[in-house]
């Protein structure tokens, strides 16, 4: 059994909850820190998880009853409550902090000026506060952060995306060149993704200045919902977001197929993205904790993804599996119509996670969950109503007005 304490910031969320259970089952003493902002935004958008998630109190009590293991909880806002973060770290003296505590939906981050400002304030301050608290309490506490493949951007350029770092030659005035290794040039596609590119600079600074041990997991789109721990009891069920802001593409398509809603392919569906199953997410986080970088090492960056897929191919796959209709709708996002994506990830492979790839059994399992809870679906929340620019909104309005008039 593993030993030591891990503080999971954002441990009530979609990735954080199953990770907390996985770490607890592995033997770690887990402390969840969360401010329930995701549950607050759910209420603000009137868009609940398709699965009926229980209160954190009930989740933790069920886990204790089933396994005998206690998971502690502290409610605090990581973006504002610096003293409280420091107190949690001083009280529990963890070996690691896992940092999930950010506003993670690109469409929500692009909804309004208020959402842009909230996402920037929340994400950047949470990251800086956690790192500054580690410096004050104990620089041996490692930080494992959930970042995103989206820091690299999804332009039409092609080429192989390296694992974080990029070699360049800097021209000198005397005509010679000096070799430098830099972060791969960031190219965020939303305010949310932009916060992740800025998080990366915090990590570079704290690793250099304070010798913090930091791992940044550049994760692809997470699909699936359940893990071996969350299936143990309905009270432990994980969230399943399907709404136009928080639902991610593959889970949305599977849910849409289950409730008889045409699959919402943006534009031509030509975007290619990286994917990972939630079961692999939790495994990777544990393995990252168990193989920390040394103090003084550069930030370890891991491209946490197992496969890439083009969106229209995913829609075709789900259509073949379920018979669902596919509808191409004007893309609400400012993104390339088509992009190629080839990812290099030797650091991920070195973690030794046996990848869960997209196969029919798992897709059917998710569709079955979506069917089970289809009565909870609110169809009015399915369309993405967040537009990257007024021009995108106008094109969509004209498209839907035309359909309504026909
Ligand atoms: P989520 O919204 O379900 O969970 C985030 C949790 O953090 C929520 O419980 C929320 O209440 C909490 N939180 C947010 N701000 C907080 C703050 N200031 N103080 C305390 N708690 C706070 O999101 P998720 O899908 O679990 O994503 C977790 C992390 O993983 C994010 O950082 C996201 O960028 C990253 N990620 C997610 C995906 C994905 O497909 N879901 C893919 C790649 C990376
Ligand atoms: N898309 C559709 N139809 C839909 C929803 C999305 O065609 O109904 C398209 C989008 O236009 C986009 C792609 O699917 O091209 C992915 O969209 P998404 O909402 O599934 O994923 P994204 O916005 O990129 O964000 C999600 C998580 C985020 C994480 C990111 C990883 O919400 O937290 O960082 O995946 S990555 O995509 O690798 O950047």
């Amino acid at each position: 059994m593993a030993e030591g304490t891990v503080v999971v910031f954002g441990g009530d969320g979609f990735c954080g909850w199953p990770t907390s259970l996985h770490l607890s089952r592995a033997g770690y003493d887990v402390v969840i820190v969360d401010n329930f902002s995701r549950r607050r935004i759910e209420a603000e958008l009137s868009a609940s998880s398709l699965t009926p998630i229980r209160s954190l109190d009930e989740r933790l009590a069920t886990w204790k009853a089933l396994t005998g293991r206690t998971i502690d909880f502290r409610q605090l806002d990581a973006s504002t409550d610096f003293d409280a973060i420091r107190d949690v770290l001083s009280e529990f003296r963890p070996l690691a902090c896992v940092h999930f505590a950010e506003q993670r939906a690109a469409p929500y981050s692009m909804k309004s000026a208020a959402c842009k400002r909230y996402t920037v304030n929340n994400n950047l301050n949470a990251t800086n506060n956690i790192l500054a608290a580690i410096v004050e309490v104990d620089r041996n506490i490692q930080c494992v952060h959930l970042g995103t493949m989206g820091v690299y951007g999804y332009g039409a350029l092609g080429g192989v995306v390296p694992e974080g770092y990029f070699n360049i030659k800097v021209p000198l005035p005397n005509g010679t060149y000096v070799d430098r290794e830099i972060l791969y040039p960031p190219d965020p596609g939303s305010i949310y993704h932009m916060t992740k590119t800025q998080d990366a600079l915090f990590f570079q600074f704290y690793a250099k200045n304070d010798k913090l041990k930091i791992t940044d997991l550049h994760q692809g789109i997470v699909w699936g919902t359940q893990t071996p721990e969350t299936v143990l009891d309905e009270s432990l069920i994980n969230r399943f977001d399907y709404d136009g802001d928080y639902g991610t593409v593959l889970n949305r398509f599977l849910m849409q197929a289950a409730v008889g809603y045409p699959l919402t392919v943006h534009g031509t569906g030509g975007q290619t993205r990286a994917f990972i199953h939630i079961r692999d997410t939790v495994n990777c986080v544990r393995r990252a904790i168990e193989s920390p970088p040394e103090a003084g090492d550069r930030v370890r960056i891991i491209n946490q993804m197992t496969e890439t897929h083009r969106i229209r191919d995913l829609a075709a796959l789900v259509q073949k599996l379920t018979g669902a209709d596919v509808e191409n709708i004007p893309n609400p996002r400012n993104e390339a119509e088509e992009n190629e994506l080839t990812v290099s990830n030797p650091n991920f492979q070195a973690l030794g996670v046996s990848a869960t790839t997209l196969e029919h059994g798992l897709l059917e399992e998710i569709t079955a969950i979506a069917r089970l809870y289809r009565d909870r679906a609110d169809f009015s929340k399915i369309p993405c109503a967040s537009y990257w620019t007024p021009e995108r909104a106008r094109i969509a309005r004209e498209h839907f007005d035309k359909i309504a008039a026909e």
Side-chain angles (χ1 to χ4, degrees), residues 10-14 16-17 32-34 36 39 54 56 59 239:
D12 187 47
F14 169 62
W17 172 241
I32 288 178
V33 170
D34 209 292
F36 299 128
R39 292 182 190 246
R54 304 294 169 84
L56 185 59
R59 284 174 151 187
R239 27 180 340 115

Side-chain angles (χ1 to χ4, degrees), residues 2-3 6 23 28 95-98 140-145 163 212-217 282-295 297-302 304 346-353:
E3 280 180 17
V6 178
L23 294 173
Y28 293 104
L95 61 95
C97 292
V98 185
N140 270 318
I141 301 171
Q142 53 163 319
C143 178
V144 176
H145 171 252
E163 218 158 17
L212 293 195
K213 298 183 279 187
I214 300 171
T215 300
D216 198 2
L217 302 171
V282 304
N283 241 312
C284 284
V285 172
R286 179 176 55 76
R287 288 174 191 233
I289 292 169
E290 289 169 357
S291 57
E294 299 287 331
D297 282 357
R298 68 177 187 179
V299 176
R300 177 174 53 159
I301 298 177
I302 295 179
Q304 185 163 298
N347 292 339
F348 172 78
Q349 286 168 24
L351 289 180
V353 174

Side-chain angles (χ1 to χ4, degrees), residues 242-244 252 255-256 259 261 264 378-384:
Y242 67 92
D243 62 284
R252 260 165 77 75
M255 176 274 176
Q256 291 165 353
V259 303
Y261 193 99
T264 52
D378 177 347
F379 283 28
S380 74
K381 300 297 172 189
I382 294 178
C384 181

Side-chain angles (χ1 to χ4, degrees), residues 104-107 147-151 154 192-193 196 219-222 246-250 252-253 256 264-266 269 271 273-274 311 331 333 335:
R104 69 99 176 136
T148 176
M149 285 294 298
V151 295
Y154 294 106
Y192 153 71
H193 286 99
K196 294 291 189 177
Q219 186 168 237
I221 299 172
V222 182
Y246 277 86
T248 51
V249 66
L250 180 53
R252 260 165 77 75
F253 285 173
Q256 291 165 353
T264 52
V265 173
H266 293 168
Q271 276 278 315
R273 293 289 173 116
I311 304 303
N331 196 338
R333 307 184 185 204
E335 59 187 3

